[in-house]
Amino acid sequence: MHSESPIQRRKTRQIHIGKVAVGGDAPISVQSMTNTETRDVAATVAQIRRLEAVGADIVRVSVPSMDAAAAFKAIRAEVQTPLVADIHFDHRIALQVMADGVDGLRINPGNIGAMDKTRLVVQMAKDRGIPIRIGVNAGSLEKDIQEKYGEPTAEALVESALRHVAILDELNFHDVKISVKASDVFLAVDAYRLLSQQVDYPLHLGITEAGGLRSGTVKSAIGLGILLLSGIGDTIRVSLAADPAEEIKVGFDILKSLHLRQKGINLIACPSCSRQEFDVISTVNTLEARLEDILEPMDISVIGCVVNGIGEAKEADIGLTGGDKRSILYYRGQQVDRVENQDIVDILEKRVRAEVAARRAARGES
């Protein structure tokens, strides 16, 4: 069921955040940001590894001080995922993390002091092949731009972004990606659309400060979905007041729903009704928890009755159609077994893991 997406992506330059290509014809990457105290190396490393486990392509780490920069060096040595350092105001922090192996900077060149300081940072980034993300937020526009427009507008966000781009252009630095985030869906969408018409740099999408797990997921899915359907966006971060691992999961769910990226289980499940022959909701929740470590793309269908169950099961890699006391198990479109309803979760998990192992073996992977 992994059909090609009909979306025609906007052509952009390509940059590299460590081993991850962003822009051009590269897959849309999914990233998150740690929320641990960066100086707590053990806690931050543990969180990054947790993000790695659910498929994060890139992880951003806040580095607000020189003490945090010293901790970043230790963190960098412990993890493999490309790391972006989030830095504001102090150019010395940028110089330090670049010396210690950072893969990317999130830094607005107009906010780190005099031009000579900016020049030092940009030259070192150029020498080491380290990209810079210009990140503009509706809540932190420059004072003169706020006064000019009176309130955050798409034009204001884009003007701010292009101001920082002009600084990098003047220094002949073009290894850049840009974000123009807002918490309002319409404002963010308008800003990204306007920006995409004026630059060919890759764009980092996000609805900033979107809210908690449920409301933030909805806002992000709508806002990012609109942009992605228009072919806009090269990397995404779903900003949630929740466990950062949830940001990665939601990000991949958005991309999977648009057939832009396939990673992990695509669980097809009915909303449950009085026809169900087993507890669909409990079954699906348990399966999602048990299978969240599976990164192999796979369609799993779990339907509580035969009305839609057989059709969905035949299209999935592994499918289950509810029946009285015993349900029908399908594999690659063929009925292969009947299973006791109380054993559904265990049997589906076993089947999924066996399929993953078989695919890996066929590819010669250990």
Side-chain angles (χ1 to χ4, degrees):
M1 291 182 67
H2 301 309
S3 59
E4 293 295 320
S5 175
I7 295 170
Q8 297 297 311
R9 289 178 59 195
R10 165 181 168 267
K11 299 299 182 184
T12 62
R13 304 185 191 199
Q14 187 171 94
I15 64 172
H16 287 81
I17 311 295
K19 64 186 178 183
V20 176
V22 177
D25 60 355
I28 296 171
S29 52
V30 179
Q31 55 184 285
S32 183
M33 185 175 183
T34 57
N35 61 10
T36 53
E37 165 58 64
T38 302
R39 292 174 297 178
D40 186 339
V41 173
T44 304
V45 167
Q47 188 170 77
I48 293 170
R49 288 178 175 163
R50 168 70 175 139
L51 293 170
E52 289 175 339
V54 293
D57 297 304
I58 301 165
V59 175
R60 181 156 49 111
V61 179
S62 179
V63 189
S65 66
M66 292 302 290
D67 286 343
F72 180 86
K73 181 177 182 179
I75 294 164
R76 171 72 285 173
E78 293 293 324
V79 299
Q80 299 300 312
T81 301
L83 299 181
V84 172
D86 191 90
I87 298 166
H88 298 273
F89 311 124
D90 191 340
H91 79 290
R92 298 172 305 155
I93 300 172
L95 296 175
Q96 187 61 57
V97 296
M98 284 192 287
D100 292 334
V102 77
D103 298 292
L105 297 175
R106 190 281 197 187
I107 188 167
N108 288 346
N111 295 343
I112 55 173
M115 192 63 180
D116 60 332
K117 296 176 180 178
T118 301
R119 187 175 288 108
L120 285 174
V121 171
V122 172
Q123 187 60 54
M124 189 170 181
K126 185 185 296 185
D127 291 344
R128 293 174 179 254
I130 297 171
I132 292 174
R133 171 161 75 94
I134 293 168
V136 174
N137 281 353
S140 56
L141 288 169
E142 296 92 327
K143 185 177 179 180
D144 66 307
I145 290 180
Q146 292 183 45
E147 291 175 351
K148 176 179 177 179
Y149 290 94
E151 63 182 5
T153 65
E155 292 78 9
L157 289 168
V158 171
E159 181 173 329
S160 177
L162 294 180
R163 176 180 294 181
H164 295 292
V165 168
I167 295 171
L168 296 180
D169 281 345
E170 183 180 339
L171 297 173
N172 195 30
F173 186 88
H174 307 291
D175 206 4
V176 174
K177 63 188 173 94
I178 310 173
S179 65
V180 281
K181 297 183 179 181
S183 59
D184 180 84
V185 168
F186 292 105
L187 176 55
V189 167
D190 287 347
Y192 277 109
R193 282 175 168 166
L194 182 61
L195 181 62
S196 71
Q197 296 166 6
Q198 300 190 45
V199 300
D200 66 352
Y201 291 118
L203 299 184
H204 166 121
L205 300 188
I207 305 299
T208 194
E209 299 146 2
L213 180 57
R214 185 185 66 189
S215 61
T217 294
V218 172
K219 286 174 69 175
S220 296
I222 293 171
L224 301 188
I226 291 170
L227 291 165
L228 292 167
L229 278 167
S230 302
I232 297 170
D234 302 284
T235 184
I236 65 173
R237 188 233 172 150
V238 177
S239 298
L240 301 176
D243 183 338
E246 297 298 329
E247 298 185 350
I248 300 298
K249 297 174 193 176
V250 173
F252 276 112
D253 284 343
I254 291 171
L255 295 181
K256 281 189 287 188
S257 70
L258 297 173
H259 297 184
L260 286 167
R261 184 99 183 263
Q262 299 296 336
K263 180 177 281 192
I265 302 298
N266 177 34
L267 194 53
I268 301 153
C270 60
S272 181
C273 71
S274 60
R275 295 194 305 267
Q276 67 180 2
E277 300 288 359
F278 59 89
D279 187 342
V280 174
I281 294 173
S282 175
T283 298
V284 169
N285 287 340
T286 304
L287 275 173
E288 284 186 330
R290 288 199 193 181
L291 300 177
E292 69 174 14
D293 63 306
I294 301 294
L295 302 183
E296 182 79 24
M298 198 180 307
D299 289 332
I300 308 300
S301 171
V302 180
I303 307 296
C305 75
V306 297
V307 174
N308 296 319
I310 295 173
E312 293 286 2
K314 287 184 175 180
E315 294 294 326
D317 296 300
I318 298 171
L320 187 118
T321 297
D324 182 24
K325 297 182 181 178
R326 301 179 77 206
S327 294
I328 307 169
L329 183 67
Y330 290 80
Y331 176 65
R332 297 183 180 178
Q334 300 298 316
Q335 180 178 334
V336 293
D337 203 359
R338 285 185 176 270
V339 302
E340 300 294 331
N341 286 349
Q342 67 265 25
D343 299 329
I344 287 172
V345 172
D346 290 338
I347 289 172
L348 284 176
E349 181 184 8
K350 183 177 179 180
R351 279 275 180 173
V352 169
R353 295 191 182 280
E355 176 67 7
V356 171
R359 292 184 185 185
R360 290 177 62 87
R363 294 193 296 262
E365 300 173 7
S366 59

